Amino acid sequence: MVVAVSEVGRQHSAKQQELADALLGIAATRGLDQVSVREVAAAAGVSIGTVQHYFGTKDAMLVFAFRHVVRRTRARVARIDPRLPPRRRLGLALRELLPLDAERTAECRVYLAFAARAATSPGLAAVQEETLTAIRADLRQALAGTAGADHGRATLETEARLLLAVVDGLMFDAVTAPGTLAPAELEAALDTYLDRIAP
Amino acid sequence: MVVAVSEVGRQHSAKQQELADALLGIAATRGLDQVSVREVAAAAGVSIGTVQHYFGTKDAMLVFAFRHVVRRTRARVARIDPRLPPRRRLGLALRELLPLDAERTAECRVYLAFAARAATSPGLAAVQEETLTAIRADLRQALAGTAGADHGRATLETEARLLLAVVDGLMFDAVTAPGTLAPAELEAALDTYLDRIAP
């Protein structure tokens, strides 16, 4: 019986992820403000009632899709070879958060739209707070393990806040004003910063 | 006759600014996706036809309001005392871009919403590109004039991109996850960064 229930749970989750992918496709191409239960149902080829069955409300659907984007990014970071030197791993991990190719640009656009909407949605704000808190904890750990790093008078917490700001700011500037920052310029700026805090 | 035309122009502009303020009020409290010609008309106490007369389309209204926010922020920066030392002026100017009090937090939220929508709106993207290009030019000039600055191997352009990224990233993280970054922490992170590039 337990097996049967968990099988149902797995199917439920798979269907939710399929609907979340349909939602993210709409958000990436036409903008998050074009997302509705009706549009997601049409894009996924199911009825409105089906979408409502899996998510209940539009807000719950948005929160699920936001977590889905964050999970996808973090899964790529988790696949970085742990045998590489710490500084190299850090550079690769942070590159996963920048719009350096078509896939990451689409993801960054959608992430930005969700994060901007968090300002007026408590459910999305909770996901964003969890996400930033988790990334800063990872960065503190990565910075503590980086040989040769000199943080001067700054605490590790301030260093982690600054490093996340550099990456989020480069992402924000590149996604919102694409003509002003090419991928190679983003990587050069990131490496200039990393060289300074962890040569 | 020229005087009469320019008087009409001034009145036109004053009315547009009044409508833009109504739009920004809706965007700050309920979110940019709640903005419509109908809602702006209701908030400003005028007819839908009046809003259409002054702006033509909803897109033109959004572009005007986005420029209006950017102008307001830059006007505050322009009022900083030019007799202060360059490093102090730079610190004060960048503080105008951070959500350090209720006024700047409301402004940053609205700015973020416009910038996020720029990803799917060419009109808003043009304003955002102009804005970032102008701020980076100001930052290059400010950094060149900062005594004692050591930029290592980084060019002034890379330094300006990084400094704008730090400020935009701190703004982004603080506005989208308010519980994780207090105003004093934003200022401490900014000053840590400035101390490093321009002691």
Side-chain angles (χ1 to χ4, degrees):
Chain A
M1 190 60 187
V2 171
V3 172
V5 167
S6 94
E7 183 57 31
V8 169
R10 260 200 300 278
Q11 284 171 8
H12 191 85
S13 165
K15 191 70 184 176
Q16 282 181 317
Q17 287 186 34
E18 188 188 316
L19 295 173
D21 284 330
L23 186 159
L24 298 175
I26 299 167
T29 50
R30 290 156 50 206
L32 192 57
D33 52 318
Q34 294 301 311
V35 166
S36 64
V37 169
R38 179 183 302 271
E39 292 289 341
V40 171
V46 300
S47 71
I48 290 175
T50 300
V51 177
Q52 285 165 337
H53 167 74
Y54 283 104
F55 289 116
T57 65
K58 180 181 163 185
D59 268 4
M61 177 174 76
L62 289 172
V63 166
F64 183 91
F66 191 13
R67 281 192 202 283
H68 188 57
V69 178
V70 170
R71 255 197 313 264
R72 203 165 59 188
T73 312
R74 292 177 71 82
R76 286 202 310 271
V77 172
R79 283 196 295 271
I80 294 170
D81 189 342
R83 292 161 303 181
L84 291 170
R87 163 72 169 76
R88 171 106 177 108
R89 279 210 311 271
L90 180 59
L92 289 173
L94 295 173
R95 278 167 167 74
E96 292 299 340
L97 310 183
L98 291 175
L100 298 176
D101 57 22
E103 181 194 356
R104 279 172 285 181
T105 299
E107 193 174 274
C108 286
R109 277 180 173 206
V110 171
Y111 171 67
L112 178 60
F114 274 116
R117 190 180 281 226
T120 51
S121 158
L124 296 177
V127 178
Q128 175 69 350
E129 295 199 0
E130 276 168 39
T131 303
L132 296 197
T133 301
I135 296 176
R136 286 198 193 102
D138 289 349
L139 292 178
R140 277 198 308 275
Q141 198 174 15
L143 288 166
T146 309
D150 173 15
H151 306 302
R153 283 171 308 173
T155 62
L156 265 184
E157 179 57 34
T158 300
E159 282 296 0
R161 282 182 194 139
L162 267 175
L163 182 53
L164 179 57
V166 166
V167 175
D168 279 347
L170 288 172
M171 179 277 292
F172 175 83
D173 293 348
V175 169
T176 62
T180 72
L181 271 178
E185 293 167 338
L186 288 173
E187 292 197 83
L190 175 64
D191 287 334
T192 297
Y193 187 79
L194 289 177
D195 284 346
R196 198 170 281 157
I197 60 165
Chain B
M1 189 61 188
V2 171
V3 172
V5 168
S6 94
E7 181 57 31
V8 168
R10 261 200 299 280
Q11 283 172 9
H12 192 85
S13 165
K15 192 68 182 178
Q16 282 182 316
Q17 288 187 33
E18 189 188 318
L19 295 173
D21 283 330
L23 187 159
L24 299 175
I26 298 167
T29 51
R30 290 156 51 206
L32 192 57
D33 53 317
Q34 293 301 309
V35 167
S36 64
V37 169
R38 181 185 298 273
E39 292 289 339
V40 170
V46 302
S47 71
I48 289 176
T50 299
V51 177
Q52 285 166 337
H53 167 73
Y54 283 104
F55 289 115
T57 64
K58 181 182 164 184
D59 268 3
M61 177 174 77
L62 289 173
V63 167
F64 182 92
F66 190 14
R67 280 191 203 283
H68 188 57
V69 178
V70 170
R71 256 197 313 265
R72 204 164 59 187
T73 310
R74 292 178 71 83
R76 287 202 310 272
V77 171
R79 283 197 296 271
I80 294 170
D81 188 343
R83 292 162 304 181
L84 291 171
R87 164 72 169 76
R88 170 104 176 109
R89 279 209 311 272
L90 180 59
L92 289 174
L94 295 173
R95 278 167 166 76
E96 292 300 338
L97 310 182
L98 292 175
L100 298 175
D101 56 22
E103 182 193 354
R104 280 173 284 181
T105 299
E107 193 173 272
C108 287
R109 279 180 173 204
V110 171
Y111 171 68
L112 177 61
F114 275 115
R117 188 178 284 224
T120 52
S121 158
L124 296 177
V127 178
Q128 175 69 352
E129 294 199 1
E130 278 167 38
T131 303
L132 296 196
T133 301
I135 296 177
R136 286 199 193 102
D138 289 350
L139 291 178
R140 278 199 306 276
Q141 198 174 15
L143 288 167
T146 308
D150 174 15
H151 305 302
R153 284 170 305 175
T155 63
L156 265 185
E157 179 58 34
T158 300
E159 282 294 1
R161 282 182 194 139
L162 267 176
L163 182 52
L164 180 58
V166 166
V167 174
D168 279 348
L170 288 172
M171 179 279 290
F172 175 83
D173 293 349
V175 169
T176 62
T180 72
L181 271 179
E185 292 167 340
L186 288 172
E187 293 197 82
L190 175 64
D191 287 333
T192 298
Y193 187 80
L194 290 176
D195 285 347
R196 198 172 281 158
I197 60 165

